Amino acid sequence: PQDEQAIRTAFAEATAAFNRHEPLSVASGDFDIVIPPGTYRKAGPELAKSIAEDFKTVFKNAKEIASIDRIRFIRPDVALVDGPFQITGTDIKPEPKGLQTIVFVKENGRWVATALRRMVPVAVPQGAPAAQR
């Protein structure tokens, strides 16, 4: 319960950092992301530069709305956090909205985000198996 609350606090801090346009301020040193178009962004100076450019352009007025549906501990120091997200105020239409998974790791007693995977739902073909819906 104590770690779960700490993760919820770290998650809230990460959302607030995004809304201040400083998302890497609460990330681990090896943080990486996969965004809905399928783009992989690896940790390092290029990621920081890319995110800074996004906030000057397409995300200039962006705000994130996100919540937690589930926290799953893989190990005592690693947790998956799943839940919905929406980013408003972007130049992207329709606005990004879907599900995300964030991997949190406990470093020096503090929970930090190390990986973010965002998924935007796509239409499922009619007649697709129930597992795909």
Side-chain angles (χ1 to χ4, degrees), residues 37-60:
T39 305
Y40 171 74
R41 293 183 175 175
K42 184 178 169 188
E46 288 301 314
L47 176 60
K49 181 179 174 184
S50 173
I51 289 174
E53 186 60 32
D54 288 346
F55 281 120
K56 289 179 186 173
T57 57
V58 70
F59 286 163
K60 183 177 179 182

Side-chain angles (χ1 to χ4, degrees), residues 99-115:
L99 299 173
Q100 65 183 359
T101 297
I102 305 172
V103 179
F104 280 89
V105 294
K106 196 172 191 179
E107 293 180 349
N108 301 316
R110 182 173 166 252
W111 287 95
V112 293
T114 192

